[in-house]
Amino acid sequence: MKTVQISLNSIDKVKSFVNAITQFEFDFDLISGRYVIDAKSIMGIFSLDLSKPIDLAIHAENDTEEILEVLKPYLV
């Protein structure tokens, strides 16, 4: 598992982020304070405070380089 910080400060960013990670079979969790939600859930993402960076937990054993390349526009 790898954890990175991302910023999803606009509706368009949230939509493109979800589209980008749904191409992977792995699980992704967004962690904001005590809340942990499925990062592939648009409704779940909008329940978080998007004004500050959020931790993204990537549950992948390998292939994290490819995932991080896709996530580059969202990384803090």
Side-chain angles (χ1 to χ4, degrees):
M1 184 176 88
K2 182 169 180 67
T3 303
V4 294
Q5 278 208 321
I6 62 169
S7 175
L8 299 173
N9 53 9
S10 74
I11 293 171
D12 290 333
K13 263 187 149 176
V14 171
K15 287 195 287 191
S16 63
F17 169 77
V18 172
N19 287 336
I21 65 167
T22 52
Q23 68 184 340
F24 297 105
E25 301 268 326
F26 309 111
D27 288 330
F28 296 85
D29 290 326
L30 286 173
I31 304 156
S32 178
R34 60 189 177 122
Y35 299 104
V36 178
I37 58 139
D38 181 359
K40 294 180 181 180
S41 165
I42 289 179
M43 292 302 289
I45 293 172
F46 284 124
S47 72
L48 298 175
D49 178 8
L50 300 177
S51 65
K52 54 189 178 218
I54 304 167
D55 290 332
L56 173 68
I58 305 166
H59 299 281
E61 299 302 316
N62 46 20
D63 295 337
T64 54
E65 300 304 318
E66 182 184 351
I67 295 168
L68 291 177
E69 190 63 34
V70 170
L71 294 177
K72 219 177 241 185
Y74 314 102
L75 296 175
V76 176

